[in-house]
């Protein structure tokens, strides 16, 4: 991790680089692209990648980005709730 922050253009480039490396299954390259970032830049890159994903989903489903953001958030919360319930097991098992 470094203390040097990236410019906005460099952060956007980093988002695309992580996306490309992840698409190609290059986990080690993703690690290298992220491990060197200061915390604030890491958060920016992660949020940027999430925004790219939401934008891609919006386009693929023909939705405006605001609608897509709402739907992705709903689906993500639903999946998280299902995963939590599966780990906890049935309530009457106690």
């Amino acid at each position: 991790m470094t203390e040097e922050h990236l410019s906005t253009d460099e952060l956007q480039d980093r988002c695309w680089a992580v996306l490309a490396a992840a698409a190609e299954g290059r986990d080690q390259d993703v690690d290298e692209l992220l491990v060197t970032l200061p915390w604030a830049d890491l958060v920016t890159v992660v949020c940027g990648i999430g925004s790219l994903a939401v934008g891609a989903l919006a386009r693929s489903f023909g939705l405006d980005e605001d609608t897509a953001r709402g739907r992705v958030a709903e689906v993500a919360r639903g999946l998280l709730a299902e995963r939590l319930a599966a780990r906890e097991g049935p309530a009457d098992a106690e």
Side-chain angles (χ1 to χ4, degrees), residues 4-92:
E4 183 179 329
H5 291 276
L6 300 179
S7 70
T8 300
D9 286 340
E10 290 171 322
L11 287 167
Q12 290 172 348
D13 291 347
R14 189 69 57 106
C15 291
W16 286 109
V18 169
L19 190 63
E24 296 169 345
R26 296 183 287 120
D27 296 353
Q28 187 61 35
D29 290 344
V30 172
D31 179 65
E32 289 299 317
L33 288 163
L34 298 177
V35 74
T36 58
L37 296 174
W39 183 254
D41 285 354
L42 178 61
V43 171
T44 300
V45 169
V46 170
C47 287
I49 293 166
S51 291
L52 289 172
V54 170
L57 288 170
R59 285 186 299 280
S60 70
F61 292 117
L63 301 171
D64 64 89
E65 195 162 332
D66 287 338
T67 301
R69 285 184 183 281
R71 289 209 181 143
V72 168
E74 288 173 18
V75 169
R77 281 192 292 274
L79 289 171
L80 287 168
E82 288 176 17
R83 292 172 57 85
L84 179 60
R87 281 195 303 275
E88 292 177 346
D92 59 354

